[in-house]
C-alpha cells in the first residue's frame, strides 16, 4: 500500500511539473475537441489571443484563426492526414481580428483512448515571423547578388567587345607605321597617329565609365551631408563653363535662392556631370542648356534640358542599357554608360529619373531624390 501511495504521488508530482512546463513554454500549445472547440491553451497562446490567465477559451474554435482557404485545406487534407497517421506537421498563418497575422510552424496530434476512439487534438505552434523576415532578406540579397553577377558578366562581355575596336585600330595603324612609315609623307603618318590617339581617348572614356560603375557597385552606404543645392549646382556649372570656353550657353534658374538637402555630394556630382556632359555633347555649338532646381513634396527636383539632336522614340526604352548609343549619334564620341551611371547613382539615393525627348527638338531629363 505504501509503495502504491508513493507511486501515485510521484505520478501526480510529475504531472504537475509537466503541466507547469507546458504552461510556461514559449510555443503555443492548444488542446481542442473533435469539433475544433478549444479546451486548453497555455500562457504563450493566451498572450497571442490577448487573453489573461483565467479567461475561458471554450468559446473559441481553432478554425476561426485560419483563412477560409486554409480552413478548407485543414478539413480536406490536414485532418484526414492526422486521423490516418496520428500527426501533421507544416507551416501556416494565423489570422486575428483587425487583419493582424503571424506565420507559424505547427504540429497537430490526434489522441485516442485504449480502444482507438478519437478523444481530442493537440497542437504545438511556433511563431516564425522573424525567421520569415530573415528568409525574405536572404532571398532578396540572393536575387540582388544574382542580378549583380549577371550584370557583371554582361558588362564584362560588352566591355571586351567595346575595347576590341579601338585596340584593332591601334594595332593596325601601329603595324602600318612600322612597315611603311618611313616611306610615307608627314600627312599620311599624321593620319595614322591621329587614329591611334583617338582610339586611346575612346578607351580612356570607356575605362572612366567602367570605373564609376565599379565604384557605385561597391558603395554600401551614402556619405550624406547637408548641402545647399543652388550653390552646389553653381559650382559644377562654373567648372563646365570654364572647360567649354563659350561653345554653349548654360542657363541656371533655381526656383528658390537657397535649397537645403541632405544627400551624397559625390553621387549628386556624378549625376549632374553626366547630364550636363550629354546635353553639351549632343547639342549644336551656340545652343543653350537649361538647368532648373526646385523642391516639391519633400523631393529635390533637378531638370536639364537641351536643344540637341534628340532621341528616337523607338530607342528611348534602351537608354539605360550599358554601352547603348542611338543611331543618330554614332559619330559623336561617347561610351554609352552616362545615363546608366546616373540611374545607378539615383537608385542609391532613393531617387528616380525621367527622360522626354524628340528628334531634332532636344531632350529634357528630370531627376528627383529625397530632400
Amino acid at each position: 500500500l505504501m509503495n502504491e501511495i508513493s507511486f501515485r504521488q510521484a505520478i501526480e508530482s510529475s504531472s504537475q511539473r509537466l503541466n507547469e512546463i507546458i504552461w510556461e513554454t514559449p510555443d503555443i500549445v492548444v488542446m481542442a475537441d473533435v469539433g475544433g472547440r478549444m479546451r486548453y491553451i497555455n500562457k504563450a497562446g493566451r498572450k497571442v489571443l490577448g487573453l489573461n490567465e483565467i479567461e475561458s477559451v471554450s468559446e473559441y474554435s481553432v478554425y476561426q484563426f485560419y483563412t477560409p482557404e486554409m480552413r478548407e485545406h485543414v478539413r480536406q487534407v490536414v485532418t484526414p492526414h492526422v486521423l490516418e497517421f496520428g500527426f501533421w506537421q507544416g507551416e501556416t498563418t494565423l489570422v486575428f481580428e483587425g487583419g493582424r497575422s503571424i506565420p507559424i510552424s505547427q504540429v497537430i496530434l490526434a489522441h485516442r483512448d485504449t480502444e482507438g476512439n478519437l478523444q481530442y487534438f493537440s497542437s504545438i505552434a511556433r511563431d516564425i515571423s522573424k525567421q520569415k523576415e530573415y528568409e525574405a532578406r536572404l532571398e532578396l540579397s540572393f536575387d540582388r547578388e544574382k542580378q549583380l553577377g549577371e550584370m557583371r558578366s554582361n558588362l564584362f562581355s560588352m566591355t571586351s567587345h567595346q575595347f576590341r575596336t579601338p585596340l584593332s585600330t591601334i594595332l593596325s595603324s601601329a603595324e602600318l607605321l612600322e612597315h611603311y612609315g618611313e616611306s610615307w609623307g608627314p600627312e599620311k603618318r599624321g593620319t595614322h597617329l591621329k587614329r591611334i590617339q583617338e582610339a586611346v581617348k575612346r578607351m580612356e572614356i570607356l575605362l572612366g565609365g567602367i570605373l564609376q560603375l565599379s565604384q557605385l557597385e561597391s558603395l554600401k552606404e551614402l556619405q550624406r551631408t547637408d548641402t545647399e543645392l543652388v550653390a552646389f549646382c553653381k559650382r559644377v556649372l562654373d567648372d563646365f563653363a570654364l572647360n567649354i570656353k563659350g561653345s554653349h550657353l548654360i542657363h541656371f534658374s533655381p526656383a528658390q535662392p537657397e535649397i537645403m538637402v541632405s544627400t551624397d555630394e559625390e553621387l549628386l556630382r556624378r549625376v549632374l556631370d553626366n547630364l550636363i556632359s550629354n546635353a553639351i555633347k549632343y547639342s549644336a555649338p551656340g545652343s543653350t542648356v537649361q538647368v532648373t532646381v526646385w523642391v516639391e513634396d519633400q523631393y529635390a527636383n533637378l531638370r536639364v534640358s537641351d536643344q540637341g539632336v534628340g532621341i528616337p522614340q523607338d530607342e528611348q526604352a534602351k537608354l539605360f542599357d550599358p554601352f547603348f548609343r542611338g543611331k543618330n549619334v554614332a559619330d559623336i564620341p561617347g561610351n554609352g554608360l552616362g545615363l546608366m551611371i546616373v540611374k545607378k547613382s539615383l537608385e542609391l539615393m532613393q531617387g528616380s529619373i525621367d527622360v522626354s525627348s524628340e528628334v531634332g527638338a532636344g531632350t529634357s531629363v528630370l531627376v528627383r531624390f529625397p530632400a
Side-chain angles (χ1 to χ4, degrees):
L1 181 59
M2 293 301 294
N3 286 339
E4 180 69 19
I5 292 172
S6 297
F7 179 68
R8 288 181 180 276
Q9 286 176 341
I11 288 178
E12 288 176 5
S13 178
S14 296
S15 296
Q16 184 177 355
R17 284 198 295 270
L18 181 59
N19 287 334
E20 290 173 356
I21 291 170
I22 293 174
W23 177 256
E24 295 292 343
T25 184
D27 291 337
I28 302 168
V29 180
V30 177
M31 295 172 63
D33 63 24
V34 176
R37 185 67 55 183
M38 284 189 192
R39 296 305 179 201
Y40 170 87
I41 186 167
N42 70 341
K43 186 160 68 172
R46 288 173 176 273
K47 184 178 179 181
V48 169
L49 295 182
L51 301 175
N52 62 37
E53 296 185 5
I54 61 173
E55 285 184 83
S56 172
V57 295
S58 60
E59 63 186 76
Y60 293 100
S61 168
V62 293
Y63 293 106
Q64 74 187 73
F65 300 106
Y66 292 132
T67 62
E69 295 79 13
M70 189 60 196
R71 279 199 293 270
E72 191 63 27
H73 178 72
V74 168
R75 290 192 178 101
Q76 304 241 348
V77 178
V78 176
T79 302
H81 189 281
V82 174
L83 293 175
E84 182 177 356
F85 299 101
F87 78 99
W88 174 86
Q89 183 174 3
E91 292 183 4
T92 184
T93 301
L94 298 182
V95 181
F96 305 97
E97 289 184 5
R100 182 173 64 95
S101 64
I102 58 169
I104 60 168
S105 173
Q106 185 176 23
V107 177
I108 300 175
L109 303 169
H111 299 270
R112 300 178 183 272
D113 60 20
T114 55
E115 297 178 357
N117 299 314
L118 182 65
Q119 296 293 298
Y120 61 91
F121 294 105
S122 68
S123 172
I124 303 172
R126 175 169 294 179
D127 184 349
I128 54 173
S129 301
K130 289 190 188 240
Q131 178 184 326
K132 288 298 181 183
E133 287 177 13
Y134 294 146
E135 288 176 0
R137 289 177 191 170
L138 189 62
E139 186 176 354
L140 182 60
S141 298
F142 175 76
D143 289 341
R144 283 178 178 170
E145 191 60 35
K146 185 178 177 182
Q147 290 173 1
L148 280 173
E150 290 174 354
M151 191 186 81
R152 289 190 190 104
S153 177
N154 292 336
L155 194 59
F156 180 78
S157 175
M158 292 180 190
T159 302
S160 301
H161 177 74
Q162 293 292 324
F163 272 106
R164 190 173 290 119
T165 301
L167 284 172
S168 298
T169 300
I170 292 169
L171 182 62
S172 63
S173 290
E175 287 178 344
L176 288 170
L177 284 169
E178 181 184 8
H179 291 97
Y180 307 107
E182 293 183 0
S183 60
W184 286 346
E187 185 177 346
K188 196 167 186 178
R189 285 200 303 271
T191 299
H192 282 277
L193 286 172
K194 188 176 180 181
R195 287 182 65 197
I196 292 173
Q197 290 169 348
E198 288 175 349
V200 170
K201 286 178 182 177
R202 285 179 61 191
M203 291 174 67
E204 285 179 341
I205 293 172
L206 276 172
L207 282 171
I210 293 165
L211 179 61
Q212 286 193 52
L213 281 176
S214 176
Q215 290 170 341
L216 289 174
E217 279 187 26
S218 62
L219 187 63
K220 302 297 182 185
E221 186 177 354
L222 298 188
Q223 301 297 316
R224 292 186 180 275
T225 57
D226 291 334
T227 303
E228 204 286 285
L229 187 58
V230 175
F232 177 85
C233 291
K234 283 180 179 177
R235 290 196 299 271
V236 175
L237 297 179
D238 286 344
D239 291 342
F240 269 98
L242 288 173
N243 291 325
I244 62 177
K245 299 176 181 177
S247 65
H248 294 73
L249 300 175
I250 300 178
H251 185 257
F252 181 44
S253 54
Q256 294 100 23
E258 288 188 356
I259 300 174
M260 290 302 300
V261 296
S262 177
T263 190
D264 189 311
E265 287 195 4
E266 182 60 30
L267 290 182
L268 184 56
R269 180 175 288 274
R270 286 181 183 177
V271 168
L272 196 51
D273 278 350
N274 278 286
L275 293 182
I276 300 297
S277 294
N278 281 351
I280 292 170
K281 187 189 303 180
Y282 301 120
S283 300
S287 62
T288 300
V289 174
Q290 181 75 37
V291 181
T292 310
V293 292
W294 71 97
V295 171
E296 183 179 3
D297 298 330
Q298 303 299 314
Y299 273 79
N301 296 263
L302 190 152
R303 188 191 301 277
V304 178
S305 304
D306 63 52
Q307 302 167 323
V309 296
I311 306 162
Q313 189 68 35
D314 60 339
E315 295 183 346
Q316 292 184 19
K318 302 176 184 177
L319 280 177
F320 304 106
D321 292 350
F323 303 112
F324 173 76
R325 307 197 70 221
K327 56 179 178 283
N328 61 338
V329 295
D331 57 339
I332 301 174
N335 58 21
L337 293 174
L339 284 179
M340 184 180 181
I341 290 169
V342 170
K343 187 177 181 183
K344 291 290 180 185
S345 299
L346 286 166
E347 285 174 356
L348 290 168
M349 297 164 64
Q350 298 179 324
S352 61
I353 179 171
D354 182 66
V355 180
S356 58
S357 184
E358 185 179 343
V359 174
T363 299
S364 177
V365 182
L366 171 65
V367 300
R368 304 178 76 236
F369 56 92

